[in-house]
Amino acid sequence: MINMENVKLSNGLVMPRVGLGVWKVPINATAKMVATAIENNYALIDTAKQYGNERGVGQGIKDGLAATGKSRQDLFLTTKVFNGDQGDYDRVRQAVNQQLQNLQTDYVDLLLLHWPVFNRYNTSWRALEDIYRDGQAKAIGVCNFNVEHLTNLLDHATIKPMINQIEFNPRIHQPDTVAFCQGQHIQLEAWSPLGNGQLLDNPVINRIAKDKGKSPAQVVLRWEIQQGFIVIPKSTHVTRMQENADIFDFTLDADEMEEIAMLDEEKHTIWYDKYKWSGNPDGVDDYIACDGTF
Ligand code: A2P
């Protein structure tokens, strides 16, 4: 039986099942969004250097903790290593020190490699292992790694990633990666769990939502957590934030799970081999694509 509200990672760290993603949230809106989430009992916040809003997240955490009387230990903060910092041990460590400063914290609960940058991720991972050993990250992991990337990483790693954060929702299932991670006890986490909101007018999802007395977003998120995923939906609206966290009082049966699974198109939102990471408002002008081109 899956524990629905929390997940225990392979190193014993307990992580919330539902969190707030802040991809594409402008820095000046981020602080308010994060503080509002904390006030509404969100514990997991997921950011990245690439999002350019880590300072906003840091401010939002400060404000949210002040408003609620909670402490840093009550939160689970995730950030990620930027592609442009990858491949050089010292650069990764320096970048993470700066990220911690921007986040106004001594540690993150989870530090992830944002993308499997060709020829660079094994060196980056060595830095993450030492960051973990030094206590600057309570857990470490990767994002967007497929079976080939993971196999290569495991050949070089001394610490196995605790998380693989991948694009996952009813339209994209990545079954080989999912099976591999499950076999290796690497916890799966879904980014864009609502398919960027584009799934929510689907008739099948709307019919099931009506039957359950829940919203389409709640049905989609429930479908994901019932398969063992952690989910980090993004919303700037407080009512939607509340809605997205309220998914523990109903169950989808096997037929409903299957019907939603039939929506699979195996279609990525971002074709990451070609995606150039640039224009970071935090002043980062390096960019690099995952195939190693600049
Ligand atoms: P908004 O920020 O205006 O609420 P994903 O996390 O899959 O990338 O999806 C994020 C998108 O889904 C955003 O456009 C967000 O819009 C929208 N969204 C998030 N939660 C809900 C919800 N409960 N109902 C409808 N749309 C939602």
Side-chain angles (χ1 to χ4, degrees):
M1 180 72 187
I2 297 171
N3 176 333
M4 279 302 174
E5 301 200 18
N6 291 298
V7 176
K8 197 178 261 193
L9 303 183
S10 58
N11 67 342
L13 190 70
V14 175
M15 180 166 177
R17 179 75 70 178
V18 179
L20 180 78
V22 298
W23 181 32
K24 291 186 187 160
V25 181
I27 187 163
N28 52 8
T30 307
K32 184 159 185 292
M33 182 175 163
V34 168
T36 303
I38 294 169
E39 286 167 36
N40 283 278
N41 292 321
Y42 273 76
L44 167 59
I45 312 286
D46 181 283
T47 186
K49 178 170 173 176
Q50 171 60 34
Y51 303 167
N53 55 21
E54 285 178 317
R55 287 176 205 273
V57 170
Q59 186 59 46
I61 288 175
K62 198 173 167 195
D63 296 346
L65 295 182
T68 56
K70 291 180 183 166
S71 61
R72 169 71 184 84
Q73 290 69 35
D74 297 323
L75 300 182
F76 192 106
L77 176 60
T78 302
T79 198
K80 313 185 188 90
V81 174
F82 178 57
N83 283 6
D85 292 327
Q86 282 208 42
D88 181 294
Y89 177 95
D90 291 332
R91 181 159 176 172
V92 173
R93 297 223 49 173
Q94 281 159 16
V96 170
N97 286 338
Q98 182 61 52
Q99 288 175 260
L100 291 175
Q101 267 190 37
N102 293 348
L103 290 163
Q104 302 189 41
T105 187
D106 302 335
Y107 70 95
V108 286
D109 297 275
L110 177 63
L111 181 65
L112 301 172
L113 290 185
H114 206 150
W115 292 93
V117 180
F118 180 70
N119 257 345
R120 294 180 184 229
Y121 57 79
N122 283 322
T123 305
S124 310
W125 186 252
R126 201 161 53 77
L128 258 65
E129 291 179 331
D130 284 348
I131 289 168
Y132 175 68
R133 290 188 185 102
D134 291 347
Q136 288 181 309
K138 305 272 183 220
I140 51 175
V142 296
C143 308
N144 306 305
F145 274 49
N146 64 22
V147 174
E148 194 187 327
H149 301 130
L150 286 167
T151 306
N152 184 357
L153 186 82
L154 293 179
D155 279 349
H156 294 84
T158 56
I159 300 173
K160 196 193 268 195
M162 290 132 207
I163 291 266
N164 189 13
Q165 185 184 112
I166 60 171
E167 185 177 14
F168 184 82
N169 61 55
R171 283 202 317 204
I172 174 152
H173 299 185
Q174 308 205 51
D176 295 347
T177 301
V178 169
F180 185 88
C181 289
Q182 286 167 341
Q184 291 284 340
H185 304 291
I186 297 171
Q187 172 64 44
L188 289 154
E189 184 174 16
W191 63 260
S192 266
L194 301 173
N196 249 299
Q198 290 158 26
L199 272 163
L200 303 178
D201 56 3
N202 178 278
V204 171
I205 289 170
N206 277 268
R207 176 173 41 75
I208 294 173
K210 207 164 164 222
D211 286 352
K212 298 282 171 195
K214 301 297 279 187
S215 73
Q218 288 170 322
V219 167
V220 170
L221 296 170
R222 181 75 200 184
W223 181 82
E224 290 153 2
I225 66 169
Q226 276 186 220
Q227 292 172 80
F229 274 75
I230 292 166
V231 293
I232 44 167
K234 186 209 94 182
S235 181
T236 45
H237 296 90
V238 65
T239 50
R240 288 178 174 174
M241 274 184 204
Q242 290 164 344
E243 183 185 316
N244 294 344
D246 179 20
I247 54 173
F248 301 108
D249 64 349
F250 73 109
T251 305
L252 299 170
D253 66 30
D255 288 345
E256 291 162 337
M257 291 293 288
E258 181 57 29
E259 245 192 304
I260 298 171
M262 300 288 281
L263 303 176
D264 189 19
E265 294 171 25
E266 232 28 48
K267 201 166 114 191
H268 283 278
T269 307
I270 289 175
W271 187 241
Y272 61 80
D273 284 346
K274 302 286 170 247
Y275 195 81
K276 301 274 187 192
W277 294 91
S278 61
N280 189 312
D282 248 5
V284 180
D285 49 17
D286 276 337
Y287 62 88
I288 185 169
C290 288
D291 60 4
T293 55
F294 290 84

